[in-house]
Amino acid sequence: TAEGGNGNGAEPDAAPSSSSALAAAAAATDHAAPALPPPDDPPIVPYEPKTDVHWDFVLKEMMWLGADFQSERKAQTSAARKMSQAVKQFHRSKESRRIREMAELELRRRRLANRMARDVRGWWTKVERVVAYKQKVDADASRRKAMDQHLVFLVKQTERYGKSLAERH
């Protein structure tokens, strides 16, 4: 044309804008053979956000409920384990307390028996001293009696010897 335009009625000498250049390039590619992506690259799928439907909300709630049940079960199992350990510890300490009390009772019994044995031993020692004194007194009395008898015998014998000597002279 004489106006020097591109023949589509656009401004004659204006530089093509970027949007019109893109549109022109897109129009040119529409008529040409489509370009295929390289064979090793997967096709690019544009992301289209999906709007959630009722079933999506049901599935989300089921997932939340499953996680909630699992965490609740884990918490209850942990609490049960702690309670079980506490009960076992209580019974262990109760058993050890019972054994310790029995040992203390046995120790008290032994000490009491020791004290009683010491007292009985002391009493028998005193009894033995009394018996020994009585035996000594009895032995002294019998020895004195025997000595007195021997003395009487000697005196009588001496008198007989003296009479027999006096009769001989």
Side-chain angles (χ1 to χ4, degrees), residues 34-44:
L36 294 175
D40 53 349
D41 288 341
I44 299 173

Side-chain angles (χ1 to χ4, degrees), residues 8 30 50 59 82-83 87-88 107 113 115 119 129 148 153-154 160 162 165:
N8 58 7
D30 285 348
K50 179 183 169 196
L59 291 177
K82 286 180 184 177
M83 182 63 72
V87 168
K88 284 190 338 189
L107 185 62
R115 187 169 44 242
D119 291 347
R129 275 193 259 152
D148 286 344
F153 171 74
L154 287 176
R160 270 184 276 159
L165 277 177

Side-chain angles (χ1 to χ4, degrees), residues 41-100:
D41 288 341
I44 299 173
V45 178
Y47 174 73
E48 295 177 12
K50 179 183 169 196
T51 57
D52 288 344
V53 293
H54 177 69
W55 188 246
D56 293 326
F57 289 114
V58 169
L59 291 177
K60 284 181 185 178
E61 183 154 356
M62 286 175 64
M63 288 175 55
W64 171 82
L65 194 58
D68 187 47
F69 268 79
Q70 189 176 17
S71 67
E72 190 66 28
R73 181 174 183 174
K74 186 184 280 187
Q76 287 182 356
T77 304
S78 174
R81 188 177 297 117
K82 286 180 184 177
M83 182 63 72
S84 167
Q85 292 297 327
V87 168
K88 284 190 338 189
Q89 179 64 30
F90 169 78
H91 285 292
R92 265 187 261 141
S93 66
K94 184 178 178 182
E95 180 67 19
S96 65
R97 194 176 329 122
R98 187 183 66 81
I99 290 171
R100 186 174 55 248

